[in-house]
Amino acid sequence: MNHCPACGFSAKPLKEEEELVQDNQPPLAAYVTELRALWVPSEVPILENPPSVLEFYKHVRQNRPVIIRGLFDHWPARTLWNEEYLRSKAAHTQLTVDWTPNGRGDAVVDPQKSTLSKNPSATASYFVQPQSVKMPLGEFLDIFLRPVKERTGVHYYSHQDDCARRELPLLFEDIDDALEIAKECFGNEPEAVNLWIGDDGAVTSTHKDYYENMYCVLKGEKHFVLYPPSDVMFLGEKEFPSARYQYVEGEGFKVVPEVPERMTPWIGYDPVLIDEERKKRDFPILDMTSPVHCVVREGETLYLPALWYHRVAQKGLTIAINYWHDMVFDDRAAANNLFRRIGSECPATFVELLK
């Protein structure tokens, strides 16, 4: 059992039958115990029908995720969007597509240890972004018709820069400019509307966003692993120098560090893929996290509150739209910064274990 006398945390998982707060718990440990018991959900609730603005606001006010069915049933895209329709509408439209050796874009990589991307001049672990390549939508969709073994790397349309409005105005006609209940509750128009197209090969590593997120799945299904903002204490977020993948013909993918150096805060491993033996040996405090798993299927919308950490995968070819609304920087942001500082300064957390 790993124990930190400074904050009172132990790697021992809490049991349901334990008292909400024990008298001998240090204040911070007691706070986390109460947080898990009173606020962190064991599962993401599903609303069978679109809620009223007031009903939705209750979830927003509680800062907890929820899945909503039927919120965009009126969109033409709900019934029209498939590969054949996308080709007929915008086959020649140029897209900015993310390209990686293994589908892990925006993830921490050690170029010296990776078998998929090497760079003799890279001497540290890097936060590596995908290579961006231009191609027509039709050519991009053709990739998914080929067997995985015949593909070079993994292509994923996930350019998070308002790409649905900026690159695909012809398809944007088939969806709403915004979800009305989101506009009402958040008090603003979407900062960005993004389109996501990819398959099983692409995985988004665990991270947080400073946006209120409305994630709508039109085809396929998305698999989310969510962590509440307070889990930053146990996830070991730290800063890594930034880099980008670059494909070189005949050599494969290389990791090219940014110049000048730019640091990016990120989680440097995949909490989902750690086996039990390694977790006990190297990451014992991971047991203190409160992961929540959910699947968002066709016709469903996930409200993902700002600052919630999330890992995302998909099953089969999946098409989704998400709306990013600016968050309000209030006590939630201050609390997240506090938890992050605790995680970075407490020697029993991942930040120290990973050094």
Side-chain angles (χ1 to χ4, degrees):
M1 182 186 302
N2 196 310
H3 180 80
C4 174
C7 64
F9 286 130
S10 167
K12 176 186 175 183
L14 297 176
K15 296 180 180 179
E16 293 182 1
E17 62 268 19
E18 290 180 336
E19 295 182 11
L20 184 61
V21 177
Q22 299 177 5
D23 291 338
N24 61 346
Q25 279 189 301
L28 190 55
Y31 172 74
V32 173
T33 302
E34 290 183 327
L35 198 66
R36 294 173 68 177
L38 300 176
W39 175 66
V40 178
S42 59
E43 60 184 22
V44 177
I46 298 176
L47 303 182
E48 293 294 338
N49 298 293
S52 66
V53 173
L54 180 59
E55 290 170 334
F56 179 57
Y57 180 73
K58 293 177 182 177
H59 294 275
V60 174
R61 182 67 186 87
Q62 292 173 347
N63 196 38
R64 293 198 291 188
V66 63
I67 293 173
I68 305 169
R69 291 176 174 161
L71 196 58
F72 57 92
D73 279 354
H74 61 284
W75 291 0
R78 177 71 176 90
T79 55
L80 291 176
W81 278 18
N82 55 36
E83 297 95 311
E84 182 180 355
Y85 177 80
L86 296 184
R87 289 178 189 275
S88 68
K89 196 79 179 284
H92 301 292
T93 300
Q94 289 288 318
L95 305 183
T96 306
V97 177
D98 290 337
W99 191 22
T100 62
N102 58 359
R104 272 63 175 172
D106 290 352
V108 173
V109 173
D110 183 341
Q112 296 296 324
K113 297 179 181 179
S114 174
T115 59
L116 294 172
S117 57
K118 294 184 179 294
N119 186 350
S121 64
T123 59
S125 293
Y126 290 87
F127 168 74
V128 186
Q129 296 175 283
Q131 179 174 348
S132 296
V133 293
K134 291 283 189 179
M135 65 177 63
L137 174 60
E139 180 181 330
F140 170 66
L141 293 175
D142 287 342
I143 293 171
F144 301 104
L145 300 178
R146 299 199 297 266
V148 173
K149 292 182 178 180
E150 297 180 10
R151 307 178 193 175
T152 300
V154 176
H155 293 78
Y156 188 26
Y157 188 59
S158 59
H159 226 62
Q160 303 159 48
D161 59 352
D162 202 28
C163 60
R165 291 188 289 199
R166 190 177 54 81
E167 292 194 330
L168 288 159
L170 291 176
L171 293 178
F172 192 73
E173 298 172 355
D174 297 333
I175 66 174
D176 286 349
D177 294 345
L179 298 172
E180 288 300 319
I181 61 169
K183 284 174 51 179
E184 290 289 332
C185 286
F186 304 140
N188 53 42
E189 296 284 342
E191 175 70 18
V193 184
N194 302 307
L195 174 62
W196 307 75
I197 306 176
D199 65 2
D200 307 55
V203 176
T204 303
S205 63
T206 305
H207 70 288
K208 70 176 183 293
D209 296 311
Y210 293 93
Y211 292 101
E212 305 283 8
N213 193 350
M214 302 294 290
Y215 203 101
C216 310
V217 176
L218 290 114
K219 177 180 175 60
E221 59 184 48
K222 289 277 185 174
H223 292 245
F224 286 80
V225 181
L226 311 177
Y227 298 86
S230 54
D231 275 358
V232 68
M233 289 184 286
F234 316 116
L235 287 169
E237 183 179 271
K238 60 184 293 188
E239 290 194 335
F240 296 90
S242 299
R244 189 173 291 275
Y245 282 118
Q246 182 178 23
Y247 183 78
V248 179
E249 194 67 37
E251 299 182 30
F253 286 91
K254 290 188 174 184
V255 173
V256 180
E258 289 190 6
V259 179
E261 183 179 80
R262 178 175 63 88
M263 304 299 289
T264 300
W266 211 259
I267 295 169
Y269 64 99
D270 190 337
V272 174
L273 297 182
I274 293 179
D275 60 60
E276 285 299 318
E277 181 179 348
R278 187 186 176 202
K279 182 173 72 172
K280 290 178 181 178
R281 183 184 70 244
D282 299 332
F283 308 105
I285 282 186
L286 188 58
D287 281 332
M288 293 302 296
T289 61
S290 303
V292 183
H293 300 248
C294 70
V295 179
V296 187
R297 298 179 171 85
E298 293 183 18
E300 296 180 341
T301 300
L302 170 66
Y303 164 53
L304 177 58
L307 301 179
W308 275 69
Y309 289 82
H310 49 288
R311 179 190 190 271
V312 193
Q314 46 261 323
K315 185 175 181 181
L317 183 62
T318 302
I319 304 172
I321 286 283
N322 88 298
Y323 297 87
W324 268 343
H325 291 258
D326 284 333
M327 68 168 287
V328 176
F329 284 83
D330 50 17
D331 58 316
R332 294 178 300 164
N336 185 256
N337 287 334
L338 171 63
F339 297 145
R340 179 177 51 79
R341 293 187 187 104
I342 291 171
S344 65
E345 294 174 5
C346 178
T349 62
F350 281 125
V351 173
E352 294 294 326
L353 291 171
L354 289 173
K355 285 184 177 179

